Amino acid sequence: MPNDETTVATAHEIVLTPGGELSTVRGVGAEVAGRLEGLLDIARRAGRLAGHHELSFYWRDDDNRVVFATVRSPGHESRTSLSWVDEAELPHGITQRELDVLTLLVGGLSNAQIATRLWTSVRTVSTHVERVLAKLEVATRAGAAAVAVEESLLVLPVPGGPEGFERLLIGRLSTPDPEPAPPLLGRRPPPPPRSGRRSVRRPILLGSAFPTTGQIADDGLEMVRASQLAIDEINARGGISGRPVKLVNVDLDIRSSVSVARAFDELAGLDVDAMVSGYLDDQRVAHEIAAEHQAPYLHAATLDSMVRVVEDNPGRYGNVFQICPSDTNYGPGFVNAMSFLRESGQLSPHSRSLAVVRGRWKLGDLGLEDAVARAERDGWRIDYLADDVVGDEAWREHGRRVAQFAPAAVLIGTYFEDEAAQFVRAFQADPAPTVLYALYAPSIPRFRIDLGPAAEGLLWATTTGTYSDDVARRFSQRYRDAWAVSPGRSHAGIAYDRVRILASAWARADSPRDFASVIESLRQGVHRGVNGAYSFANAGQSALSYPMATPDPSIGMAHLVFQIQDNRQRIVHPEPYTEARFRRPAWWPA
């Protein structure tokens, strides 16, 4: 229950007449009262009951906003008072889904009965119960139920319907009013029997953990916008078997394990039908919560170490898919691109030396061992290697050092725009004829805005990038039409494709709530999206890299190398996706 300070500040109150009409409205407009119609129905039911009743409880509107409400009724034929606090915060760290479970514990339901009502697995319910007991610091289910009643940790209507709760006030207040009798002529058929499961008309909830504030908010907003674009297109065509898809995003700090855990716990608490995320510093946290939730989880962490986790333990992590190839392709891809440019006559390197400067990224692996072997095979040598670079000054220092060392090319091994920009500016203060080859960060449009002319001529690579074919161009135009800005060349396309991949799997499965069926559908076939071809038939359930992991571009995602030319992103490698030749960078001496 909210603390006393919050409860006292009850600015919202509605008084109903004995007939259930609005009599007094304080602190709320009529349009807001309309949004609370379901809450008003509960108050009207209380007013029709004999005897004095007072109950405090939580209630959710159609947008999953939580209010803490109190209904008071002196008895039948009396006025009923309904007061509430908006945007109520659940105490003890309880999530919304745990509140559902706790309410059902009050009715004495077993885990199997709760699972049926919430349309989830017994294993998931068991996890929720364990967490509820720990958060409430009680040892038994009965103890949790007692705390729920004492502290008003109840949600109405009763999740799954009032059946079995008829002797409890929460059940009587959750019982819908009987429909009026139909006319004698043209009688309607009797309604189908009620089910404890959620209505199939409930929207399919896609839970996303995308950062919309903080350091990489621009990237996160692209993910949200592209996901919403795909959802809007799906819903415009009738949704999935008539059911709309709804995006529920939880903001987070991707570099904080605590923030990641909070975001994924919240999504699990909402009992979403699938989880999605971009890249996270501690991907293990998300894997564990997603494994417990059991719904399909599609992430773009680009971590070979986490692909191995799925491969080694498919029983626990079989619902987890990496929708892009792994980071271990970045080092070999760097060598391959340099060799291609040299052998095709587009680059005449002044030396055989290559450099790598790598930032800090938990669980990351750029495949440098393979890169060193490929470099030796192709006549290069990697003889400048800086690892675990952290902080703006450290990146600037290595930019200056690489300029002095003057290798043929340098791999700027960070995914973050600000770190890459610090290196580039410091290097160009006194440049050498070196190819600057970044990872991913320039895919974000703000990178070119912030660097300005200094970005011109820069090469950058991504394990998954948006192609330049007609399919991708049409997507980019629809994105611009919807959001009045152009999408970046990586995560916007991933987010769009990911929703369409899930929609296809949902449509083929027996039900979006049949997680096993959806997961099996994801493993089958190849999906062609704006970022290439997605195939998850391998043991690690990760997209394949072309040409590193497969020579067949029809089942893989091209390891694209772009060059910024005239402030545009142009693909220079690999074939058959190239659209421009490598251009001599402006910072090279004449």
Side-chain angles (χ1 to χ4, degrees), residues 228-423:
Q228 191 61 58
L229 174 61
I231 288 172
D232 289 344
E233 293 175 354
I234 292 165
N235 289 341
R237 294 193 294 269
I240 307 298
S241 301
R243 293 176 60 189
V245 180
K246 181 179 178 180
L247 182 67
V248 181
N249 185 63
V250 179
D251 186 19
L252 77 168
D253 177 357
I254 69 163
R255 287 181 160 176
S256 165
S257 298
V258 173
S259 181
V260 172
R262 178 196 58 79
F264 277 82
D265 275 336
E266 184 171 342
L267 292 178
L270 293 171
D271 200 19
V272 295
D273 299 296
M275 292 179 170
V276 296
S277 66
Y279 47 96
L280 309 170
D281 185 44
D282 197 345
Q283 184 61 44
R284 295 172 298 189
V285 174
H287 265 54
E288 293 304 321
I289 298 174
E292 290 292 336
H293 185 55
Q294 298 184 316
Y297 171 41
L298 280 65
H299 69 89
T302 322
L303 288 171
D304 188 68
S305 58
M306 298 312 297
V307 173
R308 300 283 82 79
V309 167
V310 175
E311 184 176 311
D312 293 342
N313 193 349
R316 176 167 176 78
Y317 303 104
N319 63 318
V320 179
F321 296 81
Q322 181 172 286
I323 64 165
C324 54
S326 292
D327 51 355
T328 47
N329 293 289
Y330 274 126
F334 169 54
V335 176
N336 280 359
M338 291 303 101
S339 297
F340 167 79
L341 294 176
R342 182 190 61 191
E343 292 161 9
S344 63
Q346 299 179 60
L347 173 67
S348 299
H350 65 276
S351 77
R352 298 171 52 240
S353 177
L354 299 177
V356 176
V357 180
R358 183 168 59 178
R360 177 179 297 176
W361 189 242
K362 192 179 294 184
L363 307 176
D365 179 359
L366 298 184
L368 295 185
E369 185 175 338
D370 188 10
V372 169
R374 288 175 183 249
E376 293 177 355
R377 181 198 66 190
D378 291 354
W380 303 99
R381 62 177 185 273
I382 297 179
D383 47 15
Y384 183 103
L385 177 60
D387 199 11
D388 199 33
V389 178
V390 180
D392 290 348
E393 180 52 40
W395 281 101
R396 287 192 292 268
E397 177 61 24
H398 283 289
R400 292 187 287 266
R401 289 182 183 178
V402 168
Q404 295 171 0
F405 187 69
V410 56
L411 170 62
I412 309 170
T414 176
Y415 302 129
F416 295 103
E417 169 199 352
D418 57 339
E419 294 178 343
Q422 295 290 347
F423 181 96

Side-chain angles (χ1 to χ4, degrees), residues 114-153:
I114 294 174
T116 298
R117 280 176 172 263
L118 301 183
W119 207 351
T120 189
S121 69
V122 175
R123 177 180 172 184
T124 298
V125 172
S126 298
T127 300
H128 286 317
V129 171
E130 290 173 3
R131 290 177 177 171
V132 165
L133 296 182
K135 291 177 180 180
L136 298 184
E137 298 181 345
V138 294
T140 65
R141 299 160 70 93
V147 172
V149 173
E150 183 175 304
E151 298 190 13
S152 300
L153 290 172

Side-chain angles (χ1 to χ4, degrees), residues 418-437:
D418 57 339
E419 294 178 343
Q422 295 290 347
F423 181 96
V424 171
R425 290 193 183 99
F427 173 91
Q428 292 190 7
D430 186 14
T434 298
V435 174
L436 299 184
Y437 184 104

